[in-house]
Amino acid sequence: MKIAYIIVRVLLGALFLFSSIAVLFNLVQEPEMTGNIKIFNDGLKASGYLMTLIKITELVCAIAFLTGRFVPLASVIIAPVVINIFMVHIMIAPEGIPVGIFVVVANAFLGYYNRSAYAALFVPVHKV
């Protein structure tokens, strides 16, 4: 299971690393979009900061995944981004569903593998 963990961690890290660097440094030309995905993407860009924040978050988490340091923390931080990727591909751009499924399953696997790191979060604390 440790080998599977390393493979999934590196693949997820590489995916986020390449996608964040490509967008942050404008290394690839954005494909022509139409319909609802164009409206959604234009809204992200119109905010002025949101796409940059998402891509910097992806970059930081990718570095954590690739180095193997702070993986449980990176997995929690990237979770909202992963859910959004999945939901966008389910609702707006179904051609990307395989990528959406991969990031959800990979992040869930990392969370399951590191479940002991999250154990303290699920202990009820009674303050008097």
Side-chain angles (χ1 to χ4, degrees):
M1 181 127 144
K2 185 172 184 175
I3 293 173
Y5 169 72
I6 293 170
I7 291 169
V8 169
R9 181 174 54 81
V10 169
L11 286 174
L12 192 60
L15 177 74
F16 282 128
L17 179 71
F18 294 131
S19 74
S20 63
I21 288 176
V23 172
L24 287 172
F25 297 109
N26 296 320
L27 298 179
V28 292
Q29 185 175 350
E30 185 177 307
E32 189 63 35
M33 294 183 207
T34 59
N36 289 338
I37 191 67
K38 180 176 178 16
I39 295 168
F40 179 79
N41 222 24
D42 289 346
L44 288 176
K45 291 178 185 173
S47 71
Y49 75 95
L50 192 56
M51 186 59 86
T52 304
L53 176 65
I54 292 168
K55 292 302 175 182
I56 290 172
T57 302
E58 287 180 6
L59 180 63
V60 170
C61 291
I63 292 168
F65 289 148
L66 291 171
T67 60
R69 311 241 336 156
F70 303 107
V71 173
L73 178 62
S75 187
V76 168
I77 291 172
I78 203 72
V81 175
V82 165
I83 292 168
N84 191 55
I85 290 169
F86 180 70
M87 294 306 294
V88 163
H89 288 302
I90 291 290
M91 302 292 185
I92 303 174
E95 65 276 2
I97 287 176
V99 174
I101 291 171
F102 170 74
V103 293
V104 166
V105 170
N107 201 37
F109 177 76
L110 294 179
Y112 177 76
Y113 187 86
N114 293 308
R115 64 191 177 277
S116 62
Y118 307 121
L121 296 174
F122 297 101
V123 175
V125 178
H126 300 286
K127 290 190 177 186
V128 180

